[in-house]
Amino acid sequence: MTINLIDVSATDAMVARAARVSTIGKDSAAADLPTKGLINFLMRDRHGSPFEHNSMTFYVHAPMVVFWQMVRHRAGWSYNLESGRYKELSPEFYVPEKSRPLVQVGKAGAYEFVQGDDTLHDVAMRELMNAYEAAWDSYQNMLKAGICREIARLPLGFGIYFSGYVTCNSRSLMHFLSLRTKNDDAQVKSSPQFEINAVADQLEDEWAKHMPVTHAAFVKHGRVAP
Ligand SMILES: Cc1cc2nc3c(=O)[nH]c(=O)nc-3n(C[C@H](O)[C@H](O)[C@H](O)COP(=O)(O)OP(=O)(O)OC[C@H]3O[C@@H](n4cnc5c(N)ncnc54)[C@H](O)[C@@H]3O)c2cc1C
């Protein structure tokens, strides 16, 4: 899976400016005002709107199952995805690495995933490869027969790769991260799918480079979005 931050306007200073306009008006535009204490206060007391004055656009190349979950995030997110109606898709399918846990233990609401043995991994590989090959053959056969792409794509399923651009701000990203990363330090624990968690980790790493004070405050206050 590939994540590239391709466009960004995001600083800790702008969070502080947006908050300070409340109390000092036009003087909030000064460049050198301190940020850390103020951002910690905003995060702790969940004053969220100052965290919206920024923008990050990521190119995401990931299996359909990741986009299926990602586009559920509506507030403060924009999406443009590769079309399966207007272009022929590429035969690129997701196969989990050996380190990807394969066995669910527990029930809905209280579960975890544990490592399967090598046999289980082999079964997963074999069945996925068989299914992907059959699905791709069906897709090609339908296209060759003259059936439109929007119908021919139907067998391709959750494993095929798509590309897209996603844009968010730090507030919407924090909400996403609180739900789509599994973290022992989180005040509210989540159990996201491994694949979207892998994407979320990369988004978080990129964001942290541009807004390190905000990121540190998010972590310090239990990864709760303000
Ligand atoms: C572990 C996990 C399991 C999941 N399982 C399922 C599942 O089985 N089935 C399923 O359908 N989904 C499932 N989801 C998706 C989940 O229900 C949410 O749709 C998704 O996480 C996006 O969260 P959100 O709505 O808070 O985010 P956003 O859509 O980005 O919204 C952000 C916040 O804005 C506010 N908001 C947005 N829209 C509205 C609105 N219409 N009315 C009021 N307030 C609003 C809310 O405060 C919301 O938290 C799962 C998510 C996770 C993380």
Side-chain angles (χ1 to χ4, degrees):
M1 287 179 268
T2 310
I3 305 298
N4 291 326
L5 178 60
I6 60 151
D7 207 3
V8 59
S9 167
T11 63
D12 292 318
M14 190 58 224
V15 177
R17 276 189 213 109
R20 280 206 178 87
V21 75
S22 161
T23 51
I24 60 173
K26 63 178 166 33
D27 293 337
S28 59
D32 55 351
L33 297 172
T35 56
K36 193 173 169 188
L38 178 57
I39 286 176
N40 263 303
F41 156 74
L42 296 171
M43 195 73 72
R44 188 196 70 202
D45 287 12
R46 303 195 66 207
H47 295 293
S49 54
F51 296 99
E52 296 172 12
H53 298 277
N54 52 76
S55 173
M56 290 163 278
T57 299
F58 297 92
Y59 168 79
V60 179
H61 184 62
M64 175 45 92
V65 69
V66 169
F67 286 109
W68 169 261
Q69 297 175 344
M70 203 163 191
V71 298
R72 296 299 306 278
H73 294 263
R74 301 157 288 179
W77 286 86
S78 303
Y79 304 95
N80 280 97
L81 304 187
E82 180 178 359
S83 173
R85 298 182 69 205
Y86 305 131
K87 73 176 280 296
E88 190 175 326
L89 297 169
S90 304
E92 197 180 352
F93 291 89
Y94 175 68
V95 280
E97 287 180 10
K98 227 171 185 171
S99 56
R100 200 271 193 227
L102 290 178
V103 183
Q104 182 175 336
V105 181
K107 53 186 183 182
Y111 57 89
E112 59 172 339
F113 290 86
V114 298
Q115 208 70 40
D117 59 18
D118 283 359
T119 316
L120 218 52
H121 184 259
D122 292 345
V123 172
M125 286 300 107
R126 187 183 67 232
E127 295 302 328
L128 284 172
M129 294 307 288
N130 288 344
Y132 289 157
E133 278 171 21
W136 187 255
D137 286 348
S138 297
Y139 180 57
Q140 288 297 318
N141 289 340
M142 282 194 263
L143 292 179
K144 276 180 205 140
I147 294 168
C148 55
R149 287 181 290 260
E150 65 190 34
I151 290 297
R153 67 179 170 173
L154 295 182
L156 295 176
F158 277 123
I160 191 160
Y161 270 79
F162 274 79
S163 294
Y165 292 103
V166 305
T167 298
C168 59
N169 61 59
S170 68
R171 188 184 192 186
S172 58
L173 180 62
M174 284 187 271
H175 183 70
F176 175 84
L177 295 175
S178 72
L179 291 168
R180 302 299 184 176
T181 59
K182 187 175 165 69
N183 201 298
D184 290 341
D185 298 332
Q187 200 170 305
V188 182
K189 307 264 188 293
S190 190
S191 299
Q193 182 163 339
F194 181 93
E195 285 70 25
I196 197 167
N197 197 152
V199 168
D201 285 343
Q202 292 185 62
L203 300 182
E204 182 166 358
D205 288 348
E206 289 298 331
W207 166 54
K209 288 179 202 162
H210 291 271
M211 300 179 72
V213 177
T214 302
H215 178 256
F218 172 62
V219 172
K220 179 177 173 185
H221 294 287
R223 301 177 68 84
V224 175

